[in-house]
Amino acid sequence: MKFRESLILYASLTSLTALSIDALLPGLRAIGEEFGATPLLSTQHVISLFIFGMAFGELVLGPLSDAIGRKRALLLGLGLYAIGPIIALSSQSLEMVVLGRFLQGAGVSGPKIATRAMIRDQFDGSAMARVMSLMFTLFILVPMIAPALAMGLISVAGWRSIFVAYLLIALILGLWLAIRHPETLPANRRIPVRPRLLLTNGFRIVANARVMLLTVATGLVFGAQLLYLSTAADIFHDAYGVTESLPLYFAGLAISMALAFFLNSRLVQRFGMEAMARAAFIGFAGSAVSMMSACLLLDNELPFPAFLATLFVTFFATGLLFGNLNALAMQSLGEIAGFGASIIASGSSLVSTVFALVFGRFYDGTSLYLAAGFVVASICSLVLAEIGLRSDPSPVRAAQPAHN
């Protein structure tokens, strides 16, 4: 398989996560109208518990990708992912929709983890960051067009049609991978799934300050975005009266991340991952503080243009951060890239889910809750990442299985 086709396949597989979130956003209000909220669940959880499912799937599928190969683990994840839409399609309650979404999240961790490990198998350092940025540049097309396409599907066939689309996409990607892509992890480099070995390697990864601090920082950055995504349909409607044109605004804001990914792919090998990440953190914190200040000065009535402008800058900064933070954390993993990627992804998913659930409870129909979340996420992630980047960069050494 040529590099260009591999890149498109990686972007398609990775974009399944974004597609599973963004395509459903226009349908959240319809789901809420059909099922309503329960004492424990609301439509926010259709998004946030999808990410929670990812955290569990990543812990399982990461070690499996080190043991049975990236390709098999990825296909296994796609199979589990496909079960989620089947459950959601037949659901008669919000609880069943959330269960289907949880399984989707657990399954999508296969493509998410295995593609990163495949890239780590083939590239290193700034070259890895460049490949990830190019992949994300293609991947960003999803949030630009998914909400508009989803809204068209919903208007014709209802919100359940989105889950039919999810099922078909999973089948197509699975066939493409199975037929065209080779395995990137040779049999002699695989690490068997043994509880004691996993615990030892897991402890070594968790004990690495650089990896874990960057993992928490990544989780906070993603948590800020997840907070926005889980409440975006409501805030656009409640605060600004935007409903039908919501996909257009989503596409416009996604352009900022596309620009960031493209710019990072051009500049990261010149300036380095750390310099790009630090500049992005400053931009993220600056836009968050500006948004918070404007909300307080204007009595929580942030004008719509100002709301969009701060979101644009925020998404540009987080776009620069995603590729670089992941690559910086992965750089210290070496031969346990699959298991390490699972811990990084699972840890960041747990952090982001908790963050979004906590701050989402403060939603009041204005943008103040979002500004507060952005400020906390940006400042805390900046501090943690800076400490992490100054920590020992030595690679994590994998424990080897005992030979009889």
Side-chain angles (χ1 to χ4, degrees), residues 6-221:
S6 296
L7 190 63
I8 295 172
L9 178 58
Y10 294 156
S12 301
L13 289 165
T14 304
S15 69
L16 198 57
T17 302
L19 181 67
S20 299
I21 296 173
D22 296 328
L24 200 58
L25 294 179
L28 289 181
R29 296 187 71 84
I31 294 173
E33 290 170 2
E34 180 170 338
F35 296 128
T38 71
L40 295 177
L41 296 174
S42 69
T43 52
Q44 283 189 30
H45 295 92
V46 174
I47 300 298
S48 57
L49 291 185
F50 169 85
I51 305 298
F52 195 57
M54 281 172 47
F56 285 91
E58 287 156 353
L59 284 175
V60 175
L61 291 170
L64 275 179
S65 76
D66 284 334
I68 66 175
R70 317 303 189 198
K71 188 172 178 178
R72 289 180 181 177
L74 204 159
L75 290 171
L76 182 63
L78 284 174
L80 179 59
Y81 175 90
I83 297 174
I86 295 173
I87 292 176
L89 278 170
S90 59
S91 61
Q92 299 299 318
S93 66
L94 183 59
E95 289 86 350
M96 293 304 294
V97 175
V98 170
L99 174 60
R101 293 287 290 167
F102 179 86
L103 292 176
Q104 269 190 289
V108 84
S109 59
K112 180 182 177 183
I113 291 295
T115 50
R116 290 182 187 180
M118 283 175 171
I119 292 171
R120 179 64 183 85
D121 289 338
Q122 302 169 80
F123 303 96
D124 195 11
S126 295
M128 180 172 63
R130 178 177 177 272
V131 172
M132 284 189 171
S133 291
L134 287 171
M135 179 182 70
F136 283 137
T137 303
L138 296 174
F139 141 91
I140 203 61
L141 293 173
V142 172
M144 292 176 65
I145 64 175
L149 295 176
M151 184 167 282
L153 273 177
I154 291 169
S155 65
V156 173
W159 62 266
R160 294 176 195 269
S161 62
I162 302 300
F163 289 97
V164 176
Y166 287 151
L167 183 58
L168 292 175
I169 291 170
L171 293 174
I172 292 170
L173 290 178
L175 287 173
W176 186 4
L177 175 74
I179 295 171
R180 295 287 299 160
H181 198 285
E183 176 58 60
T184 61
L185 185 67
N188 61 357
R189 289 177 51 202
R190 295 179 188 178
I191 302 174
V193 178
R194 296 179 182 174
R196 181 176 296 180
L197 192 63
L198 285 178
L199 286 174
T200 302
N201 283 331
F203 178 79
R204 291 185 179 186
I205 294 169
V206 172
N208 186 288
R210 182 183 179 91
V211 171
M212 294 315 296
L213 287 170
L214 289 171
T215 296
V216 176
T218 302
L220 290 171
V221 173

Side-chain angles (χ1 to χ4, degrees), residues 272-285:
M273 294 181 287
E274 293 188 16
M276 296 296 293
R278 288 189 174 101
F281 270 124
I282 293 172
F284 183 21

